[in-house]
């Protein structure tokens, strides 16, 4: 994942959490313009600690954030959990179907 995608994902989860850039900045202990500057200037990356704080405030798990598609994560996770519970025969039938 490159820096632009990382920043895009931060913007996406911030929006989904219904937080303004200012509110998120303050919630993670940064100055009021930090997230706005991060999302618009795209010239620096948040530290690991800052990213962890952003994910916590936005209610997003690490694996969801780094999944190939944040919107698809929950649905795929639910599907995998259901598949785990199937018998080997049913799993084989599904594989043949797809």
């Amino acid at each position: 994942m490159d820096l632009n995608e990382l920043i895009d994902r931060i913007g996406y989860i911030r929006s989904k959490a219904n937080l303004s850039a200012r509110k998120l900045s303050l919630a993670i202990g940064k100055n009021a313009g930090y997230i706005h500057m991060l999302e618009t200037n795209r010239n620096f990356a948040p530290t690991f600690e800052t990213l962890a704080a952003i994910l916590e405030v936005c209610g997003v798990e690490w694996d969801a954030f780094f999944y190939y598609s944040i919107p698809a994560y929950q649905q795929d996770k639910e599907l995998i959990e259901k598949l785990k519970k199937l018998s080997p025969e049913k799993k084989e039938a599904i594989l043949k179907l797809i």
Side-chain angles (χ1 to χ4, degrees):
M1 172 180 309
D2 67 10
L3 180 58
N4 283 328
E5 185 176 359
L6 180 94
I7 293 169
D8 288 344
R9 285 173 180 247
I10 290 170
Y12 175 82
I13 65 170
R14 178 183 63 75
S15 174
K16 285 296 192 183
N18 201 27
L19 292 169
S20 68
R22 183 178 192 281
K23 283 185 180 181
L24 180 55
S25 295
L26 295 174
I28 63 170
K30 298 290 186 182
N31 69 56
Y34 177 84
I35 295 295
H36 175 74
M37 187 171 58
L38 176 71
E39 291 180 356
T40 58
N41 293 346
R42 297 178 176 257
N43 60 355
F44 69 97
T47 65
F48 179 82
E49 292 80 14
T50 299
L51 181 57
I54 291 168
L55 295 179
E56 183 177 342
V57 169
C58 292
V60 175
E61 299 170 19
W62 282 93
D63 51 347
F65 185 77
F66 287 103
Y67 198 64
Y68 78 94
S69 168
I70 295 173
Y73 174 78
Q74 191 60 42
Q75 185 178 34
D76 290 357
K77 184 177 176 182
E78 290 172 18
L79 182 59
I80 289 168
E81 289 305 313
K82 289 180 181 185
L83 288 171
K84 285 180 182 178
K85 295 175 185 177
L86 294 177
S87 68
E89 295 81 20
K90 288 183 179 179
K91 289 177 185 176
E92 185 64 34
I94 290 172
L95 285 173
K96 287 180 182 177
L97 179 66
I98 56 175

